[in-house]
Amino acid sequence: MQYEYSPETSFSEPRWEDRLKRGIWPRSNIFWLGLVFLALSTLRPWEKLVPELGEMRFEYVFSLFTIAAVAFSCKWEWRGGNIGIAVVLFVASLMVSIFTAYKPDLCSTDVNVIISAMISFFVIVFIVRTRYQLYFFLLAYIAIMYVYVAKSEGEYFVHGAAQFRMGVKRLQGIELTFGNPNAMGAAILCSLPIACFCYSLRSEISGTWPRRYQRLLPWMLRSYFVLAVLGIFLTRSRGAAVGLVAFALMLALQSGGWVTKFRRISIALVLLLVTFFVLPSDMQGRFRTMWD
């Protein structure tokens, strides 16, 4: 059975891009190539899991292949808007700062990270053609982060894989580039708004899905929230912890009247205090250094 969305639900006219296989899977090959690129950029298996790929320079080869495929397969229609212009200007200012630095050779890693992030942004801009593809892309990112966080926490609890910094044991990622505790805590924190967005639109996203997958989606997102909050605490990242508190307060203030908002904030503060006092002593000491 073929599923099609009306023009009101898509960003562009081509109907073939709106057809879904079994009501779930987009049929655009270039779209799936972009998802693979996103997964590899996040998990980076060549750094720890499969180091042989690093010796083959797999990251650069696949990046060039993805860029070429997007360039020849997608319509050259600017979709970045003001955000895209801001990204270009921001990256340009960073590159000027790096190459005019006192010691530019110390910034080589930063150059690679910045260019990779910009490439990822424009790959997303050109491969996402419909509203459903955008929803599916964001949901796929949460699924990738789910694997990333679950694998990291599994290594932490089962094999004791962690970094000992600032006198405490801290959760680390399964790769090296963004695997330090502070960067991992920031990555998890930045994924929470996307997970909340997907959860708020779960009925619309899964409208054409089989019934069992519709029931599974909310549970997947809820379990990710649990993994994400646990991961932030295990990284012992004070910045990520402050960001989590700020995010919770933003959710409490999102909608409703002042009475409702006050009640939500009160509940959030009570949960915060209870959570702090049930944390292990080393974790409490780490977070207490923010004010003591």
Side-chain angles (χ1 to χ4, degrees):
M1 180 177 180
Q2 299 293 332
Y3 295 84
E4 291 192 9
Y5 280 78
S6 62
E8 289 79 13
T9 62
S10 63
F11 295 135
S12 56
E13 288 300 323
R15 293 183 178 180
W16 67 270
E17 290 181 335
D18 282 341
R19 296 173 185 167
L20 307 175
K21 186 176 182 180
R22 297 180 181 178
I24 302 178
W25 317 110
R27 292 179 178 270
S28 172
N29 293 329
I30 197 67
F31 176 80
W32 284 101
L33 180 63
L35 282 183
V36 174
F37 179 78
L38 176 67
L40 292 177
S41 300
T42 303
L43 301 176
R44 308 183 71 84
W46 51 83
E47 294 185 348
K48 281 188 178 181
L49 301 179
V50 191
E52 293 79 8
L53 294 177
E55 299 175 359
M56 298 167 53
R57 312 291 287 182
F58 176 80
E59 178 183 10
Y60 299 101
V61 173
F62 190 82
S63 297
L64 292 175
F65 174 76
T66 302
I67 295 171
V70 171
F72 286 105
S73 302
C74 296
K75 292 183 178 180
W76 284 96
E77 179 183 353
W78 176 252
R79 294 176 172 272
N82 293 333
I83 295 178
I85 296 174
V87 168
V88 172
L89 294 176
F90 178 67
V91 172
S93 64
L94 288 177
M95 299 298 288
V96 171
S97 300
I98 287 173
F99 288 112
T100 57
Y102 177 64
K103 292 185 178 181
D105 56 309
L106 299 179
C107 305
S108 57
T109 302
D110 297 325
V111 172
N112 294 333
V113 171
I114 292 169
I115 293 177
S116 298
M118 185 177 68
I119 292 174
S120 300
F121 172 79
F122 283 106
V123 165
I124 296 171
V125 166
F126 283 106
I127 69 171
V128 174
R129 313 298 296 182
T130 68
R131 188 181 304 275
Y132 180 80
Q133 286 183 355
L134 176 61
Y135 293 161
F136 192 90
F137 196 93
L138 296 177
L139 193 60
Y141 173 70
I142 296 301
I144 294 168
M145 285 297 298
Y146 197 117
V147 174
Y148 180 84
V149 178
K151 174 64 175 175
S152 299
E153 293 181 5
E155 293 290 332
Y156 178 89
F157 288 112
V158 178
H159 302 291
Q163 291 187 19
F164 291 87
R165 299 170 58 182
M166 305 293 183
V168 292
K169 181 180 179 182
R170 306 179 65 181
L171 177 69
Q172 63 179 2
I174 57 175
E175 34 74 51
L176 299 176
T177 302
F178 306 107
N180 70 79
N182 289 331
M184 183 179 182
I188 297 174
L189 179 64
C190 291
S191 70
L192 289 179
I194 299 176
C196 286
F197 175 79
C198 292
Y199 187 81
S200 65
L201 295 177
R202 60 190 182 278
S203 298
E204 180 179 349
I205 294 173
S206 60
T208 60
W209 293 13
R211 183 73 62 182
R212 61 180 181 276
Y213 294 116
Q214 289 181 353
R215 293 194 295 263
L216 183 63
L217 178 60
W219 288 102
M220 187 273 284
L221 293 172
R222 291 167 189 161
S223 61
Y224 177 73
F225 285 122
V226 175
L227 281 177
V229 173
L230 177 61
I232 288 177
F233 283 125
L234 291 177
T235 59
R236 273 79 168 178
S237 173
R238 294 170 294 185
V242 172
L244 180 62
V245 173
F247 178 66
L249 294 177
M250 289 172 62
L251 288 180
L253 296 171
Q254 188 173 15
S255 61
W258 286 107
V259 175
T260 302
K261 293 178 180 179
F262 179 77
R263 186 187 307 117
R264 291 174 182 170
I265 292 177
S266 300
I267 294 174
L269 292 177
V270 171
L271 289 176
L272 175 64
L273 291 175
V274 172
T275 301
F276 177 79
F277 286 110
V278 299
L279 291 176
S281 58
D282 65 322
M283 199 176 294
Q284 288 185 12
R286 170 68 177 168
F287 294 140
R288 189 180 291 115
T289 58
M290 288 187 287
W291 63 85
D292 185 4

